[in-house]
Amino acid sequence: MKTYEVVGIGNAVVDVITHADDSFLGHMGIEKGIMQLVDQERSEVLFASMNDRLQTPGGAVANTVAGVGSLGLQTAFIGRVRDDALGQFYASAMTDNGIDFVNPPVTNGETPTSRCMIFVTPDGERSLNTYLGISTGLTSDDVPQTVSGNAKIMFLEGYLFDHDAGKTAFREAARATKAGNGIAGIAISDPFCVERHRDDFLSLIKHDLDYVIGNEHEIKSLFETDLETALEKTAEICPLVVCTRSGDGVTVLSNGTRVDVPVQEVTPVDATGAGDQFAAGFLYGLATGRDMETCARMGNLCAAEVISHVGPRPQIDMMEAFREQGLV
């Protein structure tokens, strides 16, 4: 039976990128420089307006899994796409990247494949319009126990926790992984996810998870307090807590031991995917038995690389970068 070093469960979103000027944004009613959710009708209008589209497979945890896979580990991603043009593209592109895309496109889905339509203006600003589509309908039926039960590390996406069926799928997947002697954890994803489901989030972390990864705003949101108190309280209910703090470095609390790892200052070209690729580097280190400081340094290197260019995935050989830094 096939085993995996890292399995991710998350939103399967096609990133669709085009260039546009400010007058086009104004004409289309697109708010510049932010991400906003749109409904299906609005998504179809915006998608039809895009010329010279560049399509890439996206989604936060999917980007993390792709990053881990590019470092040579066996990975799988669980997410829902429809059997439409974008869904077929997504499934094929993920497989081309060496990832097992576990779920075939849904043939009888009521909603289309999720997509994030990104309009890039000449000043480099990215205006994101996300239609979540079919990916939010993930249930336990989409998570084969043959995959979750054979994962060394399970990584869950907080955004999917917004739905009751997603909560159940997460609990069952985490328990299957742990029953198979693996570990399970979550990317918090967004403070607003926590605010909507705080009690359920904390219950999942306390009873079913082995690690949590989040930025300082996300970690603080768990207990609605200052960062140091939030770190302490989270560490009381979870063996491994990883907090990214932008230019202030990374804090890791592991079984009572704290490690603070600084970051090298980098002027970002595009911050998209920084957290996703930090998680990829950190989980690679975790899967290969590195100490916490090395895991964090690997994560920092991956994040620094991805913010140095446009796009959410590394464009260089990160293993070579690890070698240059003496990490492998």
Side-chain angles (χ1 to χ4, degrees):
M1 187 174 294
K2 192 166 189 177
T3 59
Y4 298 94
E5 298 294 320
V6 176
V7 173
I9 304 178
N11 283 315
V13 183
V14 178
D15 290 336
V16 188
I17 306 169
T18 193
H19 290 88
D21 57 23
D22 288 345
S23 63
F24 177 86
L25 298 187
H27 174 70
M28 296 300 295
I30 298 169
E31 196 162 347
K32 184 175 180 178
I34 68 166
M35 192 285 283
Q36 54 191 124
L37 296 176
V38 298
D39 60 20
Q40 182 176 344
E41 182 178 359
R42 172 72 168 161
S43 77
E44 290 171 355
V45 170
L46 293 177
F47 187 77
S49 76
M50 303 178 85
N51 295 317
D52 300 319
R53 295 187 290 252
L54 170 66
Q55 295 179 179
T56 62
V61 164
N63 287 335
T64 296
V65 169
V68 176
S70 72
L71 290 165
L73 298 189
Q74 185 66 52
T75 60
F77 178 69
I78 296 170
R80 283 169 59 86
V81 298
R82 189 173 175 179
D83 189 19
D84 52 21
L86 284 180
Q88 292 166 4
F89 162 79
Y90 191 97
S92 174
M94 290 293 281
T95 303
D96 288 346
N97 286 327
I99 302 160
D100 278 4
F101 187 65
V102 173
N103 308 87
V106 178
T107 56
N108 58 349
E110 295 181 1
T111 51
T113 296
S114 311
R115 76 283 310 263
C116 178
M117 289 147 290
I118 304 169
F119 296 86
V120 183
T121 42
D123 58 3
E125 282 278 10
R126 294 158 63 88
S127 306
L128 286 70
N129 300 262
T130 303
Y131 170 61
L132 291 176
I134 197 171
S135 66
T136 60
L138 186 135
T139 70
S140 298
D141 293 339
D142 299 301
V143 186
Q145 192 159 351
T146 53
V147 176
S148 58
N150 288 285
K152 183 172 182 178
I153 297 175
M154 174 64 69
F155 191 42
L156 309 172
E157 184 172 326
Y159 286 123
L160 280 178
F161 204 67
D162 254 342
H163 307 273
D164 288 341
K167 293 176 185 177
T168 300
F170 276 11
R171 290 190 189 95
E172 292 180 0
R175 290 170 186 173
T177 297
K178 295 176 73 166
N181 297 316
I183 62 172
I186 196 167
I188 297 176
S189 297
D190 192 316
F192 297 111
C193 291
V194 177
E195 290 177 13
R196 289 190 289 268
H197 309 278
R198 183 170 286 106
D199 289 345
D200 286 340
F201 244 107
L202 292 174
S203 177
L204 179 75
I205 292 169
K206 181 175 181 178
H207 299 293
D208 295 303
L209 299 185
D210 304 287
Y211 68 93
V212 173
I213 299 178
N215 63 35
E216 57 187 310
H217 304 294
E218 294 160 357
I219 296 293
K220 285 161 63 175
S221 69
L222 288 172
F223 290 96
E224 299 179 280
T225 185
D226 64 274
L227 180 59
E228 289 301 318
T229 303
L231 284 169
E232 181 181 328
K233 286 181 172 292
T234 308
E236 289 174 357
I237 63 171
C238 189
L240 176 58
V241 181
V242 184
C243 179
T244 58
R245 297 179 289 122
S246 299
D248 293 327
V250 178
T251 296
V252 181
L253 286 81
S254 175
N255 294 311
T257 300
R258 175 170 178 154
V259 178
D260 291 291
V261 181
V263 295
Q264 184 176 351
E265 290 283 339
V266 178
T267 301
V269 173
D270 175 14
T272 307
D276 307 341
Q277 294 310 320
F278 170 84
F282 189 92
L283 293 180
Y284 172 83
L286 199 61
T288 53
R290 267 66 180 191
D291 60 73
M292 291 299 104
E293 179 178 355
T294 302
C295 290
R297 289 178 62 194
M298 287 176 163
N300 286 343
L301 273 179
C302 291
E305 194 286 327
V306 82
I307 67 175
S308 69
H309 57 76
V310 175
R313 297 186 179 182
Q315 295 181 350
I316 67 170
D317 182 346
M318 289 309 304
M319 186 59 69
E320 185 59 34
F322 289 172
R323 291 191 189 98
E324 290 174 0
Q325 294 296 318
L327 299 177
V328 295

